[in-house]
Amino acid sequence: MTTELTGPSGLDALDGLVSHTTVQGVPVLYAPGSGTEITAGLFFRVGRADETLATAGITHLVEHLALHRLGLSDLHHNGATGSTYTLFHATGAEEEIVAHLNGVCAGLRDLPMERLETEKEILRTEAAGRGTGPNHQMPVWRYGAQGYGLAGYSEPGTWSLTADQVRQWAETRFTRDNAVLWITAGHVPEGLDLTLPAGARVPAPAPTNALPVTPAYIHGEDGHVVLTSVVRRSTAASVYADVVGRALFKDLRQEGGYSYTAEADYTPRDAEYATLTAYADALPEKQDAVVGGFVDTLARLRAGRIEQSELDSVRTKLLKLYDLPDLGAVSLPSYALSLLLGHPILSPDRHRAELDAVTLADLREVAREAWQSTLLQVPGRGVDWAGLTLAPQHSEDQVTGTRHVSLENDQVALVIGAEGVSLVTPRGPVTVRFDALAAITARPDGARVLTGHDGFIVTVEPTLFKGVTAERIAAIDAAVPADAVVPLPARPEEQIPRPRKPEKPPRDVRGTARRWGWTALCAVLGTAAAVWPVICGYLIVERIQEDRFPPLHGMLGMAVLEYSLFRWARASWRRREGNG
């Protein structure tokens, strides 16, 4: 941990506002609130970003198991798993809070492993009903399928995690040295038992990068424009986020009338950096206007066209937060999280001084910094015109190995090699190498889904590619790291994909005209072929009644003409079907 409990950047900066101590080795921050009940939050420095894709969900699973024995009660309590932290929080009477915190720590010391499979199923059910949100794919595109990018994925580890894995995760991450407790009370309640195993403060994960060039853009769902940037944590950056939100609201809603929601947010990512997120919604017919207005607003701020009144409005709003009567209690979660992540703690006086010192030049500098790391999600057309580069849609190379042509499209092929797998398409390859594999899901029917650290995915369905035998699947299984494998259960037969039959191309106007032309010709020739034998029969009978036998060459000519009419009618029918 880089921030000490005492010192100018530690908790001593909060003297007179927040008190602090330790209980069983756990740092405790406390300050009185205004209500009759108290609220407590037990933070641990472990979250989604600490996992791998193959074990994603292990932190959430520990959280659920730790709370199980507490059962149902009138106490308002819950748990939350973020990218860099896990939080157990509760609100109630003092004795209820003590019992709850003691129960959480007892549960962490001895997880109820008999509940493991049940809780894993509960988490899968929870994930299935959880909405994705308009910016759910942004972390994956920025960070890939690891670290902070895992926030964009479900929790595949809930299929395969073992009791030993879960128990070890709790023993090494949910420790007294990796925790901070905060309580909205004027004293530390008696009877607290925060006994936890010894460990070490785990620093936040180093960020990964899946974007070779920024500013970049990706295509997203209709109706949503989303921007994320990574900026250094600072008072000026938090002020800039508010300026962005106000500018977007003014330009896109009040003046343009294009959006209903236009806002921005500043969220700490780790000790040094924060994520700036901006969002605007749009009707389908207004999407181009919203994208244009969104980009223009950011360009205005980046060019330094920020009014002093904009800065003053934001500064006044932020300074009002310090007028709250229970400021210490309200600020406890923020201070605890800074302590947990190792970020310097700012006293109210120092933060006020930094707010007062922010200038327009500071905001312009933050605007330029934010633009350099921008990832913009847009509906519809691209935004190359604004100086952004489309994020990579394909891999730079492909592996060599056995080639398996798609049974649905002969221009697509799956390549299985010793180094990885590639899906080769006319637009470019998508490659996942075994030495850069985040996870591979495996089904008993042979289906494999490989996800690389860069977020690219190759799906191997034996039923959709020629020659993908059990031996080729076994070659993949033998080459991938064992800790990246996520076994999935068998799926119903009807869910196993089958090659689709090629669809006939739609008819164009000229094709329809040709079809009607052949139909008319077929009708004429068919009618002639049907009528001609009747005429020939009449002529033959008439000759016989006149005691004159029809000449042989005349009868032969009649037969040849009838045969020709029949052939022509059949040929025109086939041509008609060919133009269908």
Side-chain angles (χ1 to χ4, degrees):
M1 156 175 149
T2 59
T3 298
E4 300 294 335
L5 289 179
T6 60
S9 296
L11 296 179
D12 283 354
L14 304 179
D15 283 350
L17 180 70
V18 172
S19 302
H20 58 89
T21 186
T22 59
V23 176
Q24 280 97 37
V26 176
V28 180
L29 281 62
Y30 58 99
S34 57
T36 57
E37 295 184 318
I38 65 174
T39 298
L42 181 58
F43 270 123
F44 290 92
R45 221 308 296 143
V46 59
R48 291 292 308 271
D50 297 277
E51 304 168 346
T52 66
L53 182 58
T55 63
I58 189 170
T59 309
H60 197 182
L61 190 54
V62 170
E63 174 216 310
H64 270 230
L65 289 169
L67 291 171
H68 170 67
R69 291 196 184 101
L70 297 175
L72 295 175
S73 72
D74 295 332
L75 181 71
H76 176 70
H77 69 90
N78 209 338
T81 302
S83 285
T84 56
Y85 66 83
T86 300
L87 173 64
F88 298 93
H89 62 92
T91 298
E94 183 174 306
E95 60 275 13
E96 293 176 315
I97 295 299
V98 170
H100 179 78
L101 292 174
N102 292 355
V104 168
C105 292
L108 290 170
R109 293 193 303 268
D110 181 23
L111 295 175
M113 287 305 177
E114 70 278 3
R115 288 279 303 178
L116 181 62
E117 295 305 318
T118 301
E119 293 297 340
K120 285 160 67 173
E121 188 171 357
I122 290 172
L123 289 188
R124 293 195 294 270
T125 304
E126 180 183 341
R130 188 186 302 130
T132 55
N135 65 336
H136 71 279
Q137 62 174 341
M138 300 292 272
V140 178
W141 281 96
R142 181 178 293 279
Y143 300 109
Q146 54 186 327
Y148 300 98
L150 295 180
Y153 289 90
S154 62
E155 299 172 329
T158 56
W159 290 103
S160 58
L161 288 166
T162 66
D164 286 342
Q165 286 177 298
V166 175
R167 189 178 293 110
Q168 183 183 30
W169 193 254
E171 291 173 352
T172 57
R173 303 302 178 113
F174 290 83
T175 68
R176 66 184 183 217
D177 301 291
N178 205 35
V180 175
L181 172 65
W182 55 269
I183 306 175
T184 61
H187 63 280
V188 176
E190 294 184 4
L192 274 181
D193 182 6
L194 306 181
T195 303
L196 291 167
R201 180 61 53 84
V202 181
T208 54
N209 185 22
L211 290 173
V213 178
T214 54
Y217 75 92
I218 59 174
H219 293 286
E221 299 174 352
D222 284 349
H224 306 287
V225 181
V226 186
L227 175 145
T228 63
S229 297
V230 177
V231 296
R232 286 168 294 178
R233 291 183 63 173
S234 68
T235 300
S238 65
V239 170
Y240 175 72
D242 263 337
V243 169
V244 171
R246 287 169 175 252
L248 289 174
F249 186 85
K250 176 184 176 183
D251 294 349
L252 299 182
R253 176 169 172 169
Q254 292 183 321
E255 295 184 359
Y258 304 135
S259 298
Y260 175 75
T261 301
E263 57 192 13
D265 176 68
Y266 172 91
T267 304
R269 186 192 69 184
D270 50 38
E272 297 182 12
Y273 289 91
T275 301
L276 188 153
T277 304
Y279 170 79
D281 56 9
L283 292 172
E285 62 270 19
K286 296 289 185 69
Q287 288 182 166
D288 288 345
V290 171
V291 171
F294 198 102
V295 172
D296 287 346
T297 298
L298 295 174
R300 171 175 71 82
L301 301 178
R302 196 167 69 254
R305 295 198 298 274
I306 305 174
E307 299 296 330
Q308 183 66 42
S309 60
E310 295 179 275
L311 169 56
D312 292 341
S313 295
V314 170
R315 181 162 31 218
T316 299
K317 186 195 79 168
L318 294 177
L319 286 172
K320 283 182 178 179
L321 297 177
Y322 288 106
D323 296 334
L324 296 173
D326 51 352
L327 176 62
V330 171
S331 304
L332 282 174
S334 175
Y335 291 142
L337 192 56
S338 289
L339 182 64
L340 195 72
L341 292 174
H343 181 68
I345 293 176
L346 296 182
S347 67
D349 288 343
R350 183 175 173 184
H351 192 215
R352 285 192 193 97
E354 290 193 1
L355 282 171
D356 287 335
V358 174
T359 65
L360 294 177
D362 295 330
L363 297 185
R364 287 194 290 269
E365 182 60 32
V366 175
R368 295 186 184 110
E369 179 190 7
W371 180 253
Q372 290 304 313
S373 65
T374 283
L375 176 62
L376 183 64
Q377 174 185 299
V378 296
R381 294 179 294 180
V383 285
D384 306 80
W385 52 268
L388 295 98
T389 303
L390 181 64
Q393 307 293 300
H394 300 92
S395 304
E396 294 182 354
D397 56 8
Q398 65 184 65
V399 301
T400 58
T402 57
R403 185 180 179 87
H404 308 273
V405 178
S406 168
L407 297 175
E408 297 180 322
N409 185 343
D410 58 10
Q411 293 185 313
V412 175
L414 175 70
V415 178
I416 302 176
E419 298 178 339
V421 295
S422 294
L423 184 68
V424 183
T425 73
R427 294 186 176 183
V430 175
T431 298
V432 176
R433 295 186 176 275
F434 298 141
D435 61 0
L437 182 69
I440 173 174
T441 60
R443 290 195 182 272
D445 56 43
R448 303 290 184 266
V449 178
L450 298 91
T451 303
H453 285 149
D454 55 8
F456 281 126
I457 298 174
V458 174
T459 300
V460 179
E461 287 283 3
T463 55
L464 299 183
F465 295 92
K466 184 177 181 180
V468 180
T469 62
E471 289 74 20
R472 300 312 300 143
I473 297 299
I476 294 176
D477 293 343
V480 301
D483 59 2
V485 180
V486 179
L488 297 182
R491 50 187 171 175
E493 184 70 24
E494 62 271 15
Q495 292 185 8
I496 298 176
R498 303 296 176 188
R500 293 169 296 183
K501 294 181 179 180
E503 297 181 0
K504 289 184 178 181
R507 301 172 187 163
D508 57 18
V509 175
R510 286 179 295 181
T512 301
R514 287 194 298 268
R515 180 180 174 86
W516 279 108
W518 285 108
T519 299
L521 180 60
C522 181
V524 171
L525 293 174
T527 301
V531 172
W532 180 240
V534 176
I535 296 174
C536 292
Y538 174 79
L539 293 174
I540 292 173
V541 170
E542 185 179 36
R543 294 278 295 193
I544 292 174
Q545 288 177 347
E546 294 176 355
D547 295 327
R548 292 184 297 168
F549 191 80
L552 185 60
H553 64 275
M555 294 180 64
L556 182 61
M558 293 178 183
V560 169
L561 182 57
E562 170 59 22
Y563 176 74
S564 298
L565 289 171
F566 175 77
R567 289 287 302 273
W568 293 336
R570 187 173 66 173
S572 57
W573 176 261
R574 289 177 175 174
R575 290 294 298 274
R576 172 189 179 278
E577 291 300 298
N579 281 276

